[in-house]
C-alpha cells in the first residue's frame, strides 16, 4: 500500500475523465491511487450543449456524474486554487469549512480546459453571454424565454425589436451550432405567443473571417452559409464584435446592432489557476512535448485537452476538440503507466477522423475520412456518431429517447428560474455556535444585526478572550484586507443575525469605491494597535 503512486488529475472534462478511465483500465489498484479534482461533480457532453437551448435534449441528458464514469477514481469536488509544481502539491478551495485543502501527488495531469475571456471587450464581462458550460446553456435558454415573454407584453416597438434581436459572435463550430439552435428555438416558440406570431425575430451571426466554419472545407462552409441565410440568419463576415452594452452590440466597422441578447463563443483563455502557473506556454496554452509531458516537468506532469498546446508527430497543431482530447487522454494514461512500471513511452499521433457540425432542423455538414456530406444524410451521421460517442448506455438511451420524444411532442418553453443570490447574504447563528475558527480562511466580512458574539485568541492550546461584539459591530475584515487566515475564533454568545459580504464582493467594492476600502483599512489599523472600541464599536479577528 505504501508504495502506491498518487496520480492527481485536474479537470473532469473530456481529457480528465478519459485519462482516469484509461488509467483505471491499465493500472491495478495496488499500483496507484487515482484522484480527480473538478469544480462540478458531473462531466458535460459539450457537443450536445447547443441542443439544450432549443430543448431537443434535456439539461440533465448532457451530463453524467463523474463517480459513475470513473468508479475507481476518488473525486474531489472543489475549485483548484493553486498548483505548486516544485513541491508537488495542489491546493483546492474551502468547502463548508473555510479551510484550504492540500493534495500531494507523484504524477499530475492538467486537463482544465479553457474559459471564455471577455476582459478585452468593453462591456463584455457585463453583457456578453458565454456558451461553454452547462450553466451557460441553462442561463441562455432562460434568458431567451424571458425575452420572448417580455416582447409579448412590451408596447414600445423599439424595445420589442431589441428583445427580438439575437446576436452570436464567432462563426466556428460552436457559434454556428448556437445560432442555428437559437433561431430554431425562437422560431418554434413564437406560435405560443399570439402577439409575436407575425413578428420577425432577427438572428445575426458575426464572424471575423471571410467564411464561416473555417475548420471545414470551403464547399461545406458555403453550404452551411447558404442554408443558414435561407432560414433568415443574417451572416456578417469580416466583422468583429468590439463591444457590448445592455442595449446593443458594437461591431468593428462602426455598425451597432440594438439587441438584448449577445452571445459570444470567442475568445478563450486558460482558467485563472493556469494563468498563474509558472511554466512554459505557447500563447496562453501550456507547452507540452510529443509525449504530452509539460515542458520542464517531464516524467511527472502531463497536460492535455483545450488548455495545452499540442502538436502531433507530423507537426500539425491539434484543434481544441473532444475527439482529440479523448485520444490525448489515452496517450497520457499510457505514458503514466510507463512512468510507473518503466518501459517505452508513446507519442501523440492522432490526426483526426473528421469534422461534424449541426445546422439545426435535420441538417448538418460532415467531413469524415475525406468524404464530404451535407444536409439530411450528414445530420443522420452526426446524430449516430454523437450517440455512439456517449460513454454510458444510460446516457445513450436517455438522449435517444429525448430525440424521439420531440418528434412526437415539440420541446417546451418552461423557464427554470433559479433564485437570485443577493450580493449581501444573511446568516443566523444559535448560542454556542462558532462563526469561524482561528486558522480558517478569510471568506466573508460580518455585520451584526442582532445578538452578540465572543472573540477568543488561541495560543499554545489556551484560549484568551479578546472582546465581545454586538449589534452594529463588524468583524472579519482583517483577514480579507491582508489575505491571511483568521487569527481569532468567534463564538456566538446570544443567538445572532448577521449580514455577510463575501470576499469577492468585498474586494470589488474596495477596489471600485476607494472610500469603502479606506473605512475598513482605518478600522483595521486602529484595531491592530489593540484599540477595540471606537472609531467603530466593531472588532476584527486580528
Ligand atoms: C458549445 C460547444 C460545442 C462543442 N462541440 C464539439 C463537437 O461537436 N465536437 C468536438 O469534438 N468538440 C466539440 N467541442 C469542444 C470540446 O467540447 C472540447 O474540446 C473538450 O470539451 C475539451 O475537453 P477538456 O477536458 O480539455 O476541457 P473541458 O471539457 O472544458 O473540461 C475542463 C474541466 O475542468 C474544470 N475546471 C476548470 N478550471 C477548474 C478549477 N480551477 N477547479 C476545478 N475544476 C476546474 C471544468 O469545470 C471542466 O469540468 C465543443 C465545445 C463547446 C463549448
Amino acid at each position: 500500500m505504501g508504495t502506491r503512486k498518487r496520480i492527481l488529475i485536474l479537470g473532469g472534462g473530456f481529457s480528465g475523465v478519459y485519462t482516469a478511465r484509461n488509467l483505471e483500465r491499465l493500472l491495478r489498484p495496488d499500483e496507484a491511487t487515482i484522484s480527480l479534482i473538478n469544480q462540478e461533480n458531473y462531466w458535460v457532453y459539450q457537443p450536445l450543449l447547443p441542443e439544450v437551448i432549443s430543448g431537443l435534449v434535456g439539461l440533465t441528458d448532457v451530463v453524467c456524474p463523474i463517480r459513475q464514469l470513473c468508479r475507481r477514481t476518488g473525486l474531489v469536488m472543489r475549485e483548484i486554487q493553486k498548483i505548486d509544481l516544485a513541491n508537488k502539491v495542489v491546493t483546492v478551495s474551502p468547502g463548508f469549512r473555510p479551510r484550504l485543502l492540500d493534495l500531494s501527488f507523484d504524477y499530475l495531469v492538467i486537463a482544465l480546459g479553457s474559459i471564455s475571456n471577455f476582459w478585452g471587450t468593453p462591456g463584455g464581462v457585463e453583457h456578453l453571454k458565454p456558451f461553454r458550460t452547462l450553466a451557460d446553456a441553462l442561463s441562455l435558454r432562460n434568458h431567451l424565454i424571458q425575452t420572448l415573454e417580455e416582447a409579448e407584453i412590451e408596447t414600445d416597438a423599439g424595445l420589442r425589436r431589441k428583445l427580438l434581436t439575437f446576436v452570436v459572435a464567432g462563426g466556428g463550430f460552436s457559434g454556428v451550432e448556437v445560432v442555428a439552435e437559437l433561431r430554431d428555438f425562437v422560431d418554434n416558440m413564437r406560435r405560443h405567443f399570439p402577439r409575436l406570431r407575425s413578428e420577425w425575430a432577427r438572428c445575426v451571426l458575426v464572424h471575423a473571417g471571410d467564411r464561416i466554419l473555417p475548420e471545414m472545407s470551403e464547399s461545406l462552409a458555403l453550404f452551411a452559409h447558404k442554408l443558414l441565410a435561407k432560414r433568415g440568419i443574417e451572416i456578417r463576415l469580416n466583422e468583429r464584435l468590439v463591444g457590448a452594452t445592455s442595449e446593443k452590440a458594437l461591431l468593428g466597422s462602426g455598425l451597432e446592432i440594438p439587441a438584448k441578447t449577445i452571445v459570444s463563443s470567442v475568445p478563450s483563455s486558460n482558467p485563472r489557476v493556469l494563468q498563474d502557473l509558472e511554466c512554459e506556454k505557447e500563447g496562453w496554452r501550456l507547452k507540452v512535448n510529443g509525449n504530452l509531458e509539460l515542458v520542464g516537468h517531464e516524467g511527472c506532469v502531463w497536460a492535455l485537452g483545450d488548455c495545452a498546446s499540442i502538436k502531433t508527430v507530423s507537426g500539425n497543431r491539434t484543434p481544441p476538440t473532444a475527439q482529440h482530447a479523448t485520444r490525448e487522454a489515452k496517450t497520457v494514461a499510457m505514458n503514466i503507466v510507463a512512468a510507473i512500471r518503466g518501459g517505452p513511452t508513446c507519442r501523440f499521433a492522432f490526426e483526426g477522423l473528421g469534422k461534424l457540425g449541426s445546422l439545426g432542423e435535420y441538417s448538418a455538414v460532415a467531413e469524415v475520412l475525406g468524404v464530404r456530406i451535407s444536409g439530411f444524410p450528414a445530420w443522420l451521421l452526426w446524430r449516430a456518431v454523437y450517440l455512439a460517442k456517449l460513454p454510458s448506455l444510460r446516457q445513450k438511451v436517455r438522449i435517444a429517447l429525448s430525440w424521439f420524444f420531440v418528434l412526437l411532442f415539440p420541446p417546451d418553453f418552461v423557464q427554470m428560474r433559479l433564485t437570485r443570490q443577493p450580493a449581501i447574504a444573511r446568516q443566523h447563528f444559535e448560542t454556542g455556535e462558532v462563526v469561524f475558527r482561528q486558522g480558517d480562511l478569510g471568506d466573508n466580512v460580518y455585520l451584526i444585526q442582532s445578538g452578540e458574539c465572543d472573540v477568543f485568541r488561541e495560543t499554545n492550546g489556551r484560549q484568551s478572550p479578546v472582546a465581545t461584539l454586538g449589534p452594529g459591530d463588524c468583524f472579519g475584515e482583517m483577514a480579507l484586507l491582508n489575505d491571511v487566515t483568521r487569527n481569532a475564533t468567534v463564538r456566538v454568545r446570544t443567538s445572532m443575525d448577521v449580514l455577510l459580504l463575501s470576499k469577492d464582493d468585498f474586494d470589488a467594492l474596495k477596489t471600485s469605491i476607494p472610500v469603502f476600502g479606506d473605512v475598513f483599512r482605518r478600522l483595521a489599523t486602529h484595531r491592530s494597535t489593540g484599540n477595540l472600541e471606537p472609531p467603530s464599536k466593531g472588532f476584527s479577528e486580528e
Side-chain angles (χ1 to χ4, degrees), residues 78 93-100 437-438 440-441 443:
R78 292 272 182 91
S93 65
F96 280 113
R97 189 157 181 216
R99 292 275 164 117
L100 294 172
R437 288 178 202 281
Q438 195 168 321
D440 280 355
L441 210 67
D443 51 357

Side-chain angles (χ1 to χ4, degrees), residues 10-17 37-40 42-50 66 76 78-81 111-115 131-133 173-175 177-178 271-273 304-308 319-325 328 356-357 382 386:
L10 310 185
F14 273 95
S15 28
V17 162
I37 314 174
N38 195 54
Q39 53 203 355
E40 302 91 15
Y42 55 79
W43 165 86
V44 186
Y45 194 61
Q46 279 176 340
L48 286 185
L49 219 45
I66 292 175
V76 179
R78 292 272 182 91
E79 190 190 336
I80 299 148
Q81 294 209 327
L112 288 169
S114 57
I115 56 164
F131 196 81
R132 197 173 285 268
T133 65
F173 273 122
S174 54
E177 289 182 359
V178 166
R272 200 157 137 207
V273 64
L304 72 162
D306 287 8
C307 69
T321 70
Q323 181 187 167
H324 288 82
E328 288 154 19
L356 296 156
W382 180 87
Y386 281 17

Side-chain angles (χ1 to χ4, degrees), residues 14 42-65 68-69 134 137 383 386-387 389-406 411-412 416:
F14 273 95
Y42 55 79
W43 165 86
V44 186
Y45 194 61
Q46 279 176 340
L48 286 185
L49 219 45
E51 295 211 347
V52 170
I53 304 175
S54 56
L56 286 182
V57 292
L59 199 65
T60 52
D61 294 343
V62 293
V63 292
C64 189
Q68 261 179 23
L69 292 174
L134 187 70
R383 287 220 153 168
Y386 281 17
L387 203 59
K389 289 288 169 200
L390 282 160
S392 76
L393 180 66
R394 185 175 151 273
Q395 229 183 346
K396 284 183 212 281
V397 174
R398 277 185 75 156
I399 299 253
L401 287 177
S402 282
W403 281 341
F404 178 68
F405 192 77
V406 292
D412 67 53
M416 286 191 238

Side-chain angles (χ1 to χ4, degrees), residues 47-260:
L48 286 185
L49 219 45
E51 295 211 347
V52 170
I53 304 175
S54 56
L56 286 182
V57 292
L59 199 65
T60 52
D61 294 343
V62 293
V63 292
C64 189
I66 292 175
R67 287 179 190 280
Q68 261 179 23
L69 292 174
C70 315
R71 294 186 186 268
R72 249 180 60 204
T73 299
L75 174 69
V76 179
M77 196 190 75
R78 292 272 182 91
E79 190 190 336
I80 299 148
Q81 294 209 327
K82 195 172 163 222
I83 304 169
D84 182 346
L85 294 177
N87 294 306
K88 297 192 172 182
V89 172
V90 170
T91 306
V92 299
S93 65
F96 280 113
R97 189 157 181 216
R99 292 275 164 117
L100 294 172
L101 179 67
D102 285 341
L103 298 165
S104 303
F105 61 84
D106 297 306
Y107 301 111
L108 183 72
V109 178
I110 305 177
L112 288 169
S114 57
I115 56 164
S116 301
N117 183 348
F118 299 147
W119 285 104
T121 311
V125 176
E126 297 84 358
H127 304 295
L128 294 185
K129 303 206 166 295
F131 196 81
R132 197 173 285 268
T133 65
L134 187 70
D136 295 341
L138 175 63
S139 153
L140 180 59
R141 183 177 153 84
N142 278 345
H143 171 85
L144 294 177
I145 295 168
Q146 180 101 32
T147 58
L148 295 179
E149 294 286 358
E150 287 292 327
E152 173 72 8
I153 55 171
E154 183 52 59
T155 49
D156 178 331
L159 180 52
R160 221 171 44 245
R161 273 296 65 224
K162 282 185 205 168
L163 288 164
L164 291 175
T165 301
F166 307 92
V167 179
V168 176
F173 273 122
S174 54
V176 164
E177 289 182 359
V178 166
V179 80
E181 292 297 330
L182 190 154
R183 191 223 72 113
D184 288 357
F185 178 64
V186 171
D187 209 48
N188 289 333
M189 288 306 124
R190 277 191 320 176
R191 65 200 161 87
H192 299 290
F193 297 85
R195 284 190 63 212
L196 300 186
R197 266 178 218 153
S198 54
E199 278 207 59
W200 156 75
R202 183 182 179 199
C203 292
V204 187
L205 178 65
V206 179
H207 182 59
D210 56 8
R211 68 174 171 94
I212 59 167
L213 294 179
E215 306 92 336
M216 288 249 153
S217 65
E218 199 164 352
S219 60
L220 288 178
L222 200 64
F223 173 88
H225 186 124
K226 282 187 183 154
L227 191 99
L228 296 181
K230 203 168 138 201
R231 291 205 198 126
I233 296 172
E234 196 179 315
I235 301 176
R236 297 196 160 263
L237 298 175
N238 300 311
E239 266 290 17
R240 211 175 269 278
L241 181 78
V242 293
T245 71
S246 64
E247 304 296 313
K248 59 192 170 197
L250 309 169
L251 306 191
S253 62
L255 187 76
E256 296 182 352
I257 306 177
K260 286 281 183 191

Side-chain angles (χ1 to χ4, degrees), residues 377-438:
W379 178 83
L380 276 181
L381 180 70
W382 180 87
R383 287 220 153 168
V385 169
Y386 281 17
L387 203 59
K389 289 288 169 200
L390 282 160
S392 76
L393 180 66
R394 185 175 151 273
Q395 229 183 346
K396 284 183 212 281
V397 174
R398 277 185 75 156
I399 299 253
L401 287 177
S402 282
W403 281 341
F404 178 68
F405 192 77
V406 292
L407 291 176
L408 305 176
F409 305 101
D412 67 53
F413 56 106
V414 172
Q415 191 191 40
M416 286 191 238
R417 200 168 183 154
L418 306 170
T419 43
R420 287 197 187 97
Q421 293 286 340
I424 296 180
R426 287 167 196 278
Q427 222 169 338
H428 173 77
F429 294 92
E430 281 299 326
T431 306
E433 281 191 301
V434 173
V435 180
F436 56 69
R437 288 178 202 281
Q438 195 168 321

